[in-house]
Amino acid sequence: MNISKQHITNKRKLIGPMKPEYITIHSTGNPNSTAQNERDNLNRPSNTSVTGFHYAVGDNIVIECIPPTTKAYHAGDGANGTGNSKSIGIEMVESGNRDKVIANTVELVKHLQKEFNISNDKVVRHHDWSGKNCPRILNYNNWQGWKDFKSKLEVKK
């Protein structure tokens, strides 16, 4: 998997060290933005929010914005919540080829699961931490998109 490492320098987003135990899936909520736009917005000096994420996934690129061993507030469960303090945040863009975005995200998740020994039951939705309708691109038919996504993580025998 080709991951473009474009680590941000916006110190408000770099919370401290982390040992990842979960992976949290998000979608950007912006149907016109690209992975590069999302990364660049995260790094804008005028972006004073502490909210961040580790990866932005598009249909033709995966960008590592924050190292996966650095905390980033993305789960909406408080500064000391498990989602924020022990979870890698992945933002899927809502523009471009949706099937390719999802395929790239599945590939990234599998890569991270292997690297950090994270089981499928610890790959969760933003919704699972905060109740937010996220990742909204997978919420159709009572979260059937999420069920389909999770099934792609299963090892085929």
Side-chain angles (χ1 to χ4, degrees):
M1 151 156 274
N2 185 18
I3 298 172
S4 176
K5 291 187 180 182
Q6 299 179 35
H7 293 161
I8 66 168
T9 56
N10 186 336
K11 301 225 183 298
R12 296 181 71 81
K13 316 278 187 200
L14 307 173
I15 310 303
M18 174 180 76
K19 181 183 179 298
E21 297 178 16
Y22 292 83
I23 297 170
T24 302
I25 307 299
H26 305 261
S27 60
T28 62
N30 184 345
N32 300 313
S33 187
T34 66
Q36 191 66 57
N37 293 147
E38 293 297 322
R39 181 264 174 218
D40 292 348
N41 182 52
L42 199 62
N43 202 44
R44 267 185 312 108
S46 60
N47 184 340
T48 59
S49 165
V50 296
T51 303
F53 49 85
H54 298 90
Y55 295 90
V57 180
D59 60 2
N60 61 0
I61 193 167
V62 174
I63 302 173
E64 183 178 290
C65 308
I66 297 174
T69 55
T70 300
K71 287 181 191 178
Y73 294 154
H74 59 89
D77 66 341
N80 296 315
T82 301
N84 282 330
S85 62
K86 296 181 180 182
S87 179
I88 297 169
I90 299 174
E91 286 282 355
M92 295 186 296
V93 301
E94 297 185 13
S95 63
N97 181 324
R98 174 86 36 94
D99 291 337
K100 187 67 175 151
V101 170
I102 291 170
N104 289 345
T105 304
V106 167
E107 185 177 355
L108 174 62
V109 169
K110 286 180 175 185
H111 167 78
L112 294 169
Q113 284 182 289
K114 185 175 182 180
E115 183 175 347
F116 295 106
N117 194 31
I118 297 173
S119 60
N120 285 345
D121 65 319
K122 292 193 173 184
V123 176
V124 300
R125 306 166 292 181
H126 183 188
H127 175 81
D128 297 316
W129 299 118
S130 68
K132 186 174 181 178
N133 182 22
C134 181
R136 74 179 190 172
I137 64 173
L138 300 178
N139 74 355
Y140 57 87
N141 294 340
N142 197 28
W143 291 102
Q144 185 59 47
W146 176 249
K147 294 169 193 163
D148 294 344
F149 178 89
K150 289 283 289 218
S151 73
K152 293 174 183 169
L153 300 177
E154 298 296 326
V155 177
K156 306 289 187 253
K157 294 186 179 188

